[in-house]
Amino acid sequence: LQMHEKALHIRLATLGKQHPDTAMTYNNMGNVYKKRGEYAKALQMHAKGLEIRLATLGEQHPDTVNSYGNMANVYYRKGEYAKALQMHEKDLQITLATLGDKHPSTANTYANMGGAYNSKGEHDKALEMFEKDLRITLATLG
């Protein structure tokens, strides 16, 4: 975390607040906070990164999609499955629009959604998501 904080300081000083590399550093810090179980800080960092990515890269960019997925994973770890699913839905909408319904990233999003539905107790919906993941994975990766 200390190295990411140093990188953030340098990037803010040299690139400014509204740069994709600054967003990446916030994202990296969010991942560290998530692994440490500091979910409020993780969400704060991911939200900053998402805001920058939306402003600089736009909603359809893969890094922006990555931010939605990272926030979903934090909400999942917190046990806030409905919020995790909201983020995964946003991820899925963009992934389907940009990569289509036969891409491994789309399959991965379905798998993540399946996990959230399963943890939420919506097993039929979880199974539906896992089946979509499996179909895409078999078709694209064998």
Side-chain angles (χ1 to χ4, degrees):
L1 184 61
Q2 190 175 34
M3 299 309 275
H4 290 304
E5 288 170 342
K6 284 183 180 183
L8 179 62
H9 179 74
I10 293 167
R11 287 191 168 130
L12 287 170
T14 59
L15 302 173
K17 292 180 182 179
Q18 293 295 312
H19 193 279
D21 288 350
T22 304
M24 180 182 62
T25 303
Y26 281 122
N27 180 67
N28 292 340
M29 291 173 70
N31 287 335
V32 172
Y33 281 123
K34 180 185 76 175
K35 287 182 182 185
R36 290 171 59 170
E38 297 179 49
Y39 301 128
K41 287 181 182 178
L43 286 171
Q44 181 182 16
M45 294 295 111
H46 286 307
K48 284 183 181 182
L50 175 61
E51 180 183 330
I52 296 166
R53 285 174 168 168
L54 285 168
T56 60
L57 302 172
E59 189 171 74
Q60 303 293 312
H61 194 278
D63 288 349
T64 304
V65 174
N66 181 261
S67 288
Y68 286 120
N70 285 331
M71 291 182 76
N73 290 335
V74 175
Y75 283 124
Y76 181 86
R77 288 266 186 102
K78 287 182 72 176
E80 295 183 28
Y81 306 121
K83 288 183 180 178
L85 284 164
Q86 286 176 343
M87 294 291 116
H88 284 312
E89 283 287 347
K90 194 70 176 166
D91 174 342
L92 181 63
Q93 284 177 349
I94 299 165
T95 301
L96 285 170
T98 57
L99 300 175
D101 63 352
K102 293 176 178 61
H103 193 278
S105 292
T106 306
N108 187 59
T109 301
Y110 282 126
N112 288 335
M113 291 175 75
Y117 278 118
N118 192 47
S119 295
K120 195 177 175 197
E122 295 184 33
H123 305 298
D124 290 341
K125 191 71 174 172
L127 187 57
E128 178 187 332
M129 296 294 114
F130 289 137
E131 287 172 347
K132 287 181 180 186
D133 165 38
L134 181 60
R135 276 195 300 273
I136 296 167
T137 300
L138 289 173
T140 58
L141 303 176

